[in-house]
Every structure is written in C-alpha cells, then in structure tokens.
Amino acid sequence: MRCPYCGAFDSRVLDSRPAEEGNSVRRRRECSECGRRFTTYERVDELPLMVVKKDGRRETFDRSKLLAGLITACQKRPVPINALEELAGEIERDLKSTMEREVHSRDIGEQVMRRLRELDEVAYVRFASVYREFRDVQEFMREIEQLITRKI
C-alpha cells in the first residue's frame, strides 16, 4: 500500500478490524519510510447488479430507490423504518445471492409485494396499485378480494 504522505510502497499493518457492518476491513498502517500512520479500507470488488426495466433500459440497482418505494407504500402506517430498512436489505441480499448480474424490475416488484403482504396489507395494496398499474376499480377490487381469500 502506497503511503499517502511520502509515496513509499512499504508499510506495515498495526491493526485490522471489521468495518461497515462487516462489509469491509479497516486497517491502520505505518509507513516504513516516514513513520506516519494512515488508515485504509479493504472491500470485496463486486460487479454491479443491473436492473432491466420494463422498456428494456438497464440501470444499476439502487437500494435507496427500493427503500423509498417501501417508505411511500407504508406512509402513515404503523411500520417502523428499521423494518423497512431490514426488508430492503433482505431483498438486496436475495437478489445478489442468485449470482445473476441482471434482474428484471418485475422480479423485484414481485418480491416486494410478497414481503409487504406479510408486513402490512394496506401497504401491500398501495404498492400493488402502482406496480400492477390497475386500469379500473374492478382490477383493484379483484386484488383486494384475493388478499381477503388468502387470509381465510
């Protein structure tokens, strides 16, 4: 590791510890040339997960967009924000664990709906109404009837 102060390549590790919830390693180093100390972070180099949109465009998966959608669906509902953050993290982990580099937006939407149904039924219906793009009240009512039927 190159010293940020003198540019020397030789340094020794003084301390290592997990950082960022175990996703990286923080290393405290000392330069062998100038003796100054500095910190480095080591992370796994991941390929980005790409989302294939309905129109065929591709964009990088963005956890914050997923979380924003969950927050919108749960607005004015008794669902704690940490439950939504945990849900977004679970979905992200599931998507990345498949080892696929591309995922269709509909697959993400289906995962969100399945998990929201268990977490909060009103939030589920809100999300489904936007995600499924209901064209009329009858489609909306069919979705609610299916939800009621599953509960019985």
Side-chain angles (χ1 to χ4, degrees):
M1 180 62 61
R2 175 175 266 174
C3 174
Y5 304 106
C6 70
F9 281 102
D10 193 29
S11 65
R12 68 185 187 103
V13 176
L14 302 173
D15 180 45
S16 290
R17 63 180 65 167
E20 298 175 9
E21 298 176 2
N23 295 322
S24 67
V25 177
R26 177 186 180 272
R27 298 198 194 282
R28 195 72 184 134
R29 297 177 177 268
E30 182 177 63
C31 177
S32 300
E33 295 292 318
C34 69
R36 294 185 72 180
R37 294 181 178 189
F38 57 98
T39 302
T40 61
Y41 290 88
E42 183 179 306
R43 291 179 186 81
V44 172
D45 192 16
E46 294 181 4
L47 291 172
L49 179 63
M50 299 302 290
V51 177
V52 181
K53 307 296 265 181
K54 287 180 186 178
D55 64 3
R57 288 181 299 116
R58 284 167 170 67
E59 63 181 52
T60 306
F61 175 80
D62 185 353
R63 183 178 186 271
S64 63
K65 285 175 76 173
L66 173 62
L67 185 57
L70 291 169
I71 290 170
T72 300
C74 294
Q75 210 165 20
K76 296 183 181 180
R77 297 295 303 155
V79 180
I81 188 72
N82 60 340
L84 299 178
E85 289 172 341
E86 187 176 311
L87 183 65
E90 288 173 10
I91 291 171
E92 182 180 21
R93 275 190 300 281
D94 286 354
L95 295 172
K96 288 184 175 181
S97 70
T98 65
M99 303 305 284
E100 296 291 325
R101 293 297 95 208
E102 290 187 342
V103 62
H104 289 272
S105 59
R106 76 171 171 274
D107 296 335
I108 297 171
E110 292 298 328
Q111 273 201 44
V112 169
M113 288 197 332
R114 185 169 22 88
R115 292 166 192 244
L116 269 180
R117 187 182 311 127
E118 297 166 7
L119 186 65
D120 187 277
E121 292 175 342
V122 172
Y124 162 76
V125 171
R126 287 176 177 170
F127 188 87
S129 70
V130 173
Y131 174 72
R132 294 229 168 106
E133 298 174 342
F134 295 136
R135 288 181 281 291
D136 55 36
V137 176
Q138 281 74 29
E139 285 185 40
F140 192 75
M141 290 302 295
R142 274 193 295 274
E143 187 69 34
I144 292 173
E145 287 168 3
Q146 286 178 359
L147 183 63
I148 292 169
T149 304
R150 279 190 199 114
K151 243 185 143 171
I152 295 175

